[in-house]
Amino acid sequence: MNPMAIDKDEPSSLLSFSTNHPLEQFVLLAKGAKGFACAELIKQVLEAPGVHVFGELLEMPNIKELENGSYAAHFKTLNLFAYGTYKDYLENKSEYLELTPVQCKKLQHLTIATLATQEKCIPYSVLLKELDIKNVRDLEDLIIEAIYADIIHGKLDQECKRVEVDVALGRDARLEDAAAIADVLADWCNACEAVLNSVDRHIQRANIHKQRAIRHQQAIEQEIVYIKKTLKTQAESEDSATGGGTETHSVPKKNSGKGKTPRNTAKFWQKNT
């Protein structure tokens, strides 16, 4: 069975989230909210469709005030959606808000995005474990929803039981992750430089072969010209040796034997007489 690609008519670009995303309205609301209002705002943003990054909201002073106090669980839950996974939620449920089905599904989608940054072909077995899903059918439905939500772009390989990811949504990054990100980018730059150097070497090699081919072709063409001149000279020499083809020579007539006796016949008769 071939991998099943999920195509949409005009899928929105994953890059659009970085410049134009629905989080802006919540950031504006958070500027004037305090305490309970901020806590309720967090619940709304966790359920809001199309909101998958939360770092900007976490940096708001009014939101940071919730880290310690009666709304600490709200702040931790927002932090979970920004940086954590569904498995983190399952392991420490008591520290977070009780998630609604919509929030659970969003966190599962974000978990798929995180896994996609670690490997481009994610086995179903890994996804079933990380997302706490019991059967493959439900898993595939969730993946298809994630593709249509622009969390990932890719296809399902049902024969090999894996998801092949082409591109995934970038999640929020912690400040302490900056060094690791820089290392990854440095490795990527080095790999690009190695590819460019390899391309340059292939270009130089191709140019050398091209010049050799041109010289070989020129040598053949010169040889052809030389052969044509030689053949022409030989033809002209043969024409000159035969008098240019204008002089004619008489051909002796064959003796018919009538009126004259051949010399050999006369001798034959003299001998016998």
Side-chain angles (χ1 to χ4, degrees):
M1 183 181 297
N2 295 327
M4 181 175 65
I6 308 299
D7 297 324
K8 297 184 289 181
D9 295 335
E10 288 293 336
S12 60
S13 172
L14 294 174
L15 299 177
S16 65
F17 287 106
S18 61
T19 57
N20 184 22
H21 53 74
L23 183 65
E24 289 185 15
Q25 59 179 323
F26 295 101
V27 172
L28 293 175
L29 291 172
K31 291 180 179 180
K34 289 283 188 179
F36 176 77
C38 277
E40 289 300 311
L41 185 65
I42 288 175
K43 288 183 178 180
Q44 293 176 25
V45 76
L46 295 182
E47 287 206 17
V51 181
H52 301 100
V53 289
F54 310 92
E56 191 176 354
L57 188 62
L58 279 168
E59 293 299 319
M60 298 295 297
N62 292 349
I63 298 296
K64 285 185 174 181
E65 290 177 357
L66 302 179
E67 186 173 3
N68 298 308
S70 56
Y71 299 110
H74 292 72
F75 181 83
K76 287 183 178 180
T77 305
L78 181 61
N79 197 78
L80 172 69
F81 274 70
Y83 309 115
T85 63
Y86 191 69
K87 188 175 182 180
D88 296 332
Y89 169 70
L90 295 178
E91 292 175 349
N92 301 281
K93 268 189 174 183
S94 59
E95 297 182 6
Y96 306 112
L97 297 175
E98 184 177 352
L99 300 183
T100 65
V102 173
Q103 293 170 344
C104 282
K105 185 164 291 186
K106 178 184 283 192
L107 186 55
Q108 287 175 322
H109 287 169
L110 294 172
T111 301
I112 294 175
T114 297
L115 294 173
T117 63
Q118 299 170 3
E119 51 185 329
K120 293 303 181 182
C121 293
I122 312 172
Y124 280 5
S125 58
V126 173
L127 290 167
L128 290 169
K129 181 178 179 181
E130 293 290 329
L131 302 175
D132 192 36
I133 296 177
K134 305 305 180 184
N135 62 78
V136 172
R137 177 60 184 273
D138 291 343
L139 174 63
E140 290 181 341
D141 289 344
L142 182 68
I143 295 170
I144 292 172
E145 290 174 1
I147 292 174
Y148 274 91
D150 275 333
I151 304 299
I152 62 171
H153 287 174
K155 53 192 174 185
L156 304 177
D157 188 340
Q158 295 172 313
E159 182 177 357
C160 296
K161 298 188 182 304
R162 65 186 183 184
V163 182
E164 297 178 2
V165 181
D166 297 323
V167 62
L169 172 72
R171 297 191 64 185
D172 294 292
R174 295 185 178 91
L175 184 60
E176 53 267 29
D177 295 332
I181 295 173
D183 291 339
V184 171
L185 292 175
D187 291 340
W188 179 78
C189 289
N190 292 335
C192 291
E193 186 175 354
V195 171
L196 290 175
N197 291 335
S198 177
V199 171
D200 288 338
R201 288 194 298 270
H202 281 80
I203 291 174
Q204 293 174 1
R205 191 177 305 164
N207 288 334
I208 291 173
H209 286 301
K210 179 181 177 181
Q211 294 301 323
R212 288 177 180 174
I214 291 174
R215 289 195 296 268
H216 181 65
Q217 182 178 358
Q218 291 174 344
I220 292 175
E221 291 174 352
Q222 292 175 357
E223 185 69 19
I224 292 173
V225 171
Y226 174 76
I227 292 173
K228 286 181 177 180
K229 288 182 177 180
T230 302
L231 293 174
K232 184 178 180 181
T233 303
Q234 289 178 354
E236 292 175 350
S237 299
E238 290 176 358
D239 288 343
S240 299
T242 58
T246 58
E247 185 178 354
T248 59
H249 298 276
S250 59
V251 180
K253 294 182 178 180
K254 184 177 180 181
N255 192 346
S256 60
K258 293 182 179 180
K260 290 185 180 180
T261 303
R263 184 178 298 176
N264 292 337
T265 305
K267 289 182 179 181
F268 173 80
W269 283 106
Q270 291 176 359
K271 182 178 180 181
N272 288 291
T273 54

